[in-house]
Amino acid sequence: MTHADSSSGRIHPAALPVLLAGAFMVVLDFFIVNVALPSIATDLGAGDSALEWVVAGYGLAFAVMLITAGRLGDELGRRRVFAAGLVLFTVTSAACGLAPDPTTLVAARFAQGVAGAIVMPQVLSTIGVTYQGDAYVRALSAYGVALGLAAVGGQVIGGALVESDVLGLGWRGCFLINVLIGLAALALAPRVVPESRAPRRTRLDLPGAAILGAAVVLVLLPLIEGRQQGWPAWTWASLAAAPVVLAAFVAHQRRATAAGRAPLVDLALFRERSFTAGLLTQLLLAGAQASFFVYLALYLQQGRGLGALEAGLVFSILAAAYVGASGPAPALTERYGRTVVAAGGLSLASGIGALAVEVSSIGTGGSILALVPGLVLVGAGIGLCFTPLTSIVLSRVDAARAGAASGVLSTTQQVGFALGVAVTGVLFFAQADVADAFEVSLVQLAAVATGIVVVSRLLPAPPAGAPAAVEA
């Protein structure tokens, strides 16, 4: 495996910050746009459908491309593909920020999702094959903190940009901020990020990529559109067809392997208990996390009447707790293994339960401070789960399959996000009162978080003295 300064074993100290800047931008853009939607509607005259696709188009394109993009990095070089993704993400962010009408904005968001999918797997796979031992643990800690801050801090940053109206940009600043970050990362990436690729070059499985992309669309599209359209027949037909197409993908991968060709996803990955059990746990965590963020924001803004920035400041409580827990989480996982994930699930379930009790008591009134203990437990719980799960899922993945494995992990997260928001939304929007809706949603999310505790017992304990890192 090729590393920077491989002759001396040194890794440039700026390599990790540059990689994390790319990941931060990609995750930030999932969440920062939510607070800008009212301003976009007013400024561009965007209707509900256009606003929905400003959000959904990014996530759908991102999920469809992830695994293929991960394999591109394995084959063409992870730094090269990372840099190409940065270029596209920077350009498409500018296109979003300068969009003159809703149609242009939606198209740019689809393209931005593709760019994000190109960037994201390269970050995690490069970390896995570059850093070893204690350095890997520290790098993974930083990765978890960066992604958590992007997810939780998106509401804060977006609210601040919209309400401060920097240079008169308003909502456009939520996209144009990426241009500055992207250009800085692009300037440094070729010089500081080590190049790496799979040891053996193989032809990319394009038919497999097309079949898998179709399966992802069949799952995510009805989940995104279903509630808004009243769950018409096509949504159920799409969900029913998804397992059939996924089975066709598995069969195609087996045929490719039997014929001596390189599959898009090596199905041998799923024979590793750490990989399969970790993905299942990650699916539950992603569903609970995304749903909680979405419906907490609705409760704070529609129920309690908070502005975007005020609601963002409430999210900063989650961010602080997340950072406090996620920083030491990988080192704790080295020592205590799956117990850390179980503790995180318990903290998450306890925090959501505490919030359900408080919301049932105060409704949309009372002091916001009553929510603080529950928010702290939720943030800490997500922090204790997220990075350890990433480490466990990739713990026995070799360098040749790092990109594909990272893509599978990120795709699982995206499906969890969409599935969680859709399922919880059925409960939330069935209630007439926002406080009642949030309370019912919290009860359901507490059950999902409890599932994390249960499923975490399927995770393997790490071997004694062996760091949970990707083998180079």
Side-chain angles (χ1 to χ4, degrees), residues 292 296 299-300 304 306 310-322 347-348 350-359 362 365-381 438 442:
F292 181 77
L296 173 62
Y299 167 73
L300 293 174
R304 301 185 67 98
L306 300 186
E310 293 173 308
L313 292 175
V314 175
F315 272 80
S316 69
I317 300 168
L318 285 167
Y322 176 93
S347 176
L348 180 58
S350 300
I352 293 173
L355 287 170
V357 172
E358 286 298 332
V359 171
I362 65 175
S367 173
I368 203 75
L369 295 177
L371 305 179
V372 170
L375 292 172
V376 169
L377 286 171
V378 169
F438 189 47
L442 288 171

Side-chain angles (χ1 to χ4, degrees), residues 68-358:
T68 302
R71 285 286 286 115
L72 282 173
D74 290 342
E75 298 301 323
L76 302 178
R78 298 178 181 107
R79 181 182 66 192
R80 178 185 298 178
V81 176
F82 174 74
L86 283 179
V87 171
L88 185 57
F89 198 88
T90 302
V91 170
T92 54
S93 293
C96 289
L98 300 174
D101 54 65
T103 302
T104 303
L105 179 57
V106 169
R109 283 287 282 175
F110 269 96
Q112 193 185 34
V114 172
I118 294 172
V119 170
M120 202 65 182
Q122 319 315 324
V123 175
L124 195 53
S125 54
T126 299
I127 288 173
V129 301
T130 301
Y131 299 94
Q132 309 299 321
D134 291 341
Y136 175 80
V137 174
R138 291 192 297 271
L140 199 60
S141 296
Y143 174 83
V145 170
L147 264 62
L149 285 176
V152 182
Q155 187 95 6
V156 184
I157 297 170
L161 287 171
V162 171
E163 295 202 7
S164 61
D165 195 23
V166 178
L167 300 177
L169 293 173
W171 63 269
R172 298 179 186 275
C174 294
F175 297 110
L176 295 177
I177 189 175
N178 294 328
V179 176
L180 300 177
I181 301 173
L183 289 174
L186 270 171
L188 292 172
R191 290 181 288 171
V192 305
V193 175
E195 182 61 286
S196 63
R197 56 172 55 88
R200 185 171 65 93
R201 297 290 296 275
T202 57
R203 180 178 295 180
L204 185 65
D205 180 13
L206 293 177
I211 298 170
L212 182 60
V216 172
V217 171
L218 287 170
V219 171
L220 293 184
L221 186 60
L223 292 176
I224 292 168
E225 287 280 278
R227 186 193 61 80
Q228 290 279 0
Q229 296 191 15
W231 298 101
W234 74 262
T235 59
W236 299 108
S238 179
L239 289 171
V244 177
V245 177
L246 189 59
F249 171 74
V250 171
H252 176 81
Q253 298 302 281
R254 286 175 174 163
R255 287 195 301 270
T257 302
R261 302 191 304 271
L264 185 68
V265 177
D266 187 347
L267 299 180
L269 284 170
F270 296 92
R271 291 199 285 268
E272 288 286 355
R273 180 177 163 190
S274 59
F275 192 77
T276 53
L279 289 179
L280 179 57
T281 314
Q282 184 64 259
L283 185 72
L284 293 174
L285 176 64
Q289 176 185 344
S291 301
F292 181 77
F293 285 0
V294 167
Y295 298 111
L296 173 62
L298 289 177
Y299 167 73
L300 293 174
Q301 293 182 269
Q302 294 185 5
R304 301 185 67 98
L306 300 186
L309 183 57
E310 293 173 308
L313 292 175
V314 175
F315 272 80
S316 69
I317 300 168
L318 285 167
Y322 176 93
V323 171
S326 65
L332 290 172
T333 306
E334 291 288 307
R335 184 171 182 180
Y336 300 107
R338 62 192 181 191
T339 303
V340 178
V341 178
L346 183 60
S347 176
L348 180 58
S350 300
I352 293 173
L355 287 170
V357 172
E358 286 298 332

